[in-house]
Amino acid sequence: MGSLIIGIAGGSGSGKTTLTRRLQQQFKDHISVLYHDSYYYRHDELTLDERHTLNYDHPRAFDTPLLTRHLKELKKGNSIECPVYDYAQYNRTDEVVVVHPTDVIVVKGILIFAERKLREQMDIKIYVDTDADVRVLRRIKRDVEERGRELDTVINQYLTTVKPMHERFVEPSRHFADLIILEGGENQVATDMLIGRIRNHIAKNQSEQGGASSLSAK
């Protein structure tokens, strides 16, 4: 059967990461994750101050064709070299992370449903829907504590690009979702349904390969 490709989209701070981490905890070595943020275009030609002003919430900010090619390679059973993005420097680094094909590959990002060719690589498309007030508070906390950004910068970015781009591109992309999950990983019922679907896929993969499933019936 090969890899099951799951896309997890939704607004910034909606709970995509929480849901993704729950799946990683559940399936461990059976799952790999690709983050759309890793595929931001590189801008060595710009200064740090100039990179601050770029719109990182527009589909054109991402090298989505590269991500699409990487997914195709993983589905063929080939490993890929995933870029590494530095949030503090607002730029892609020289480093790469080797990602190997696994039973399940999660693709996570706010705009992964905005491009048709990328959507076509996904077997399951999930949109995480969370109240806007909760999302903005989570984003501020994350960017300040985890990404080393100044509070004024985070607020300005939210008002000038994040909010308008969410309304223009992210929110409309929910119509491409196969499943809409309220509150992401905090939604136990929806998460359990997804876990069940993934467990079945892994079991079938291992059965076709002639091996016994190593997943417990949690």
Side-chain angles (χ1 to χ4, degrees):
M1 292 182 67
S3 297
L4 179 72
I5 311 296
I6 301 175
I8 300 180
S12 179
S14 60
K16 301 183 299 298
T17 298
T18 300
L19 176 59
T20 301
R21 285 174 178 167
R22 285 206 59 190
L23 298 181
Q24 289 177 299
Q25 292 168 358
Q26 185 75 30
F27 297 106
K28 303 187 187 314
D29 294 340
H30 292 277
I31 192 169
S32 298
V33 180
L34 296 181
Y35 301 91
H36 205 189
D37 285 6
S38 300
Y39 291 81
Y40 276 124
Y41 279 111
R42 189 164 186 166
H43 291 288
D44 293 338
E45 77 282 6
L46 302 178
T47 66
L48 178 59
D49 287 340
E50 289 172 331
R51 292 197 295 270
H52 279 181
T53 65
L54 295 177
N55 183 353
Y56 292 95
D57 293 82
H58 193 285
R60 288 197 297 268
F62 299 89
D63 191 354
T64 300
L66 177 60
L67 173 56
T68 303
R69 292 197 298 272
H70 279 177
L71 280 177
K72 290 180 179 179
E73 288 300 312
L74 288 168
K75 291 170 79 171
K76 291 177 183 177
N78 301 322
S79 299
I80 58 100
E81 293 185 344
C82 179
V84 175
Y85 185 78
D86 186 336
Y87 290 100
Q89 294 299 315
Y90 291 80
N91 207 12
R92 195 188 291 185
T93 71
D94 293 327
E95 300 177 21
V96 295
V97 173
V98 176
V99 178
H100 302 289
T102 49
D103 291 306
V104 179
I105 298 169
V106 170
V107 186
K108 185 181 83 72
I110 63 172
L111 289 167
I112 58 173
F113 297 163
E115 300 289 342
R116 177 182 58 82
K117 291 184 178 180
L118 181 56
R119 292 197 307 270
E120 290 175 345
Q121 299 302 313
M122 302 173 192
D123 301 297
I124 302 175
K125 296 181 290 294
I126 297 169
Y127 186 93
V128 179
D129 196 8
T130 301
D131 181 79
D133 291 338
V134 175
R135 287 191 287 105
V136 67
L137 291 174
R138 287 176 177 172
R139 180 186 176 94
I140 291 172
K141 187 175 187 294
R142 179 200 66 193
D143 283 3
V144 171
E145 294 183 359
E146 299 178 18
R147 298 183 177 178
R149 296 181 175 174
E150 298 295 329
L151 178 59
D152 289 346
T153 301
V154 177
I155 294 174
N156 181 66
Q157 185 181 38
Y158 178 82
L159 293 176
T160 57
T161 60
V162 177
K163 186 176 185 293
M165 293 301 100
H166 176 88
E167 294 171 350
R168 181 179 176 185
F169 295 109
V170 182
E171 182 69 20
S173 76
R174 65 180 288 157
H175 299 295
F176 296 110
D178 302 305
L179 176 65
I180 296 176
I181 297 181
L182 303 178
E183 301 296 337
E186 304 301 326
N187 189 325
Q188 188 67 45
V189 174
T191 302
D192 286 346
M193 290 175 57
L194 179 59
I195 287 173
R197 172 70 176 83
I198 294 172
R199 182 177 288 115
N200 288 339
H201 173 82
I202 294 174
K204 289 179 180 178
N205 250 3
Q206 294 184 339
S207 176
E208 290 181 1
Q209 295 167 5
S213 174
S214 61
L215 295 175
S216 61
K218 295 182 180 179

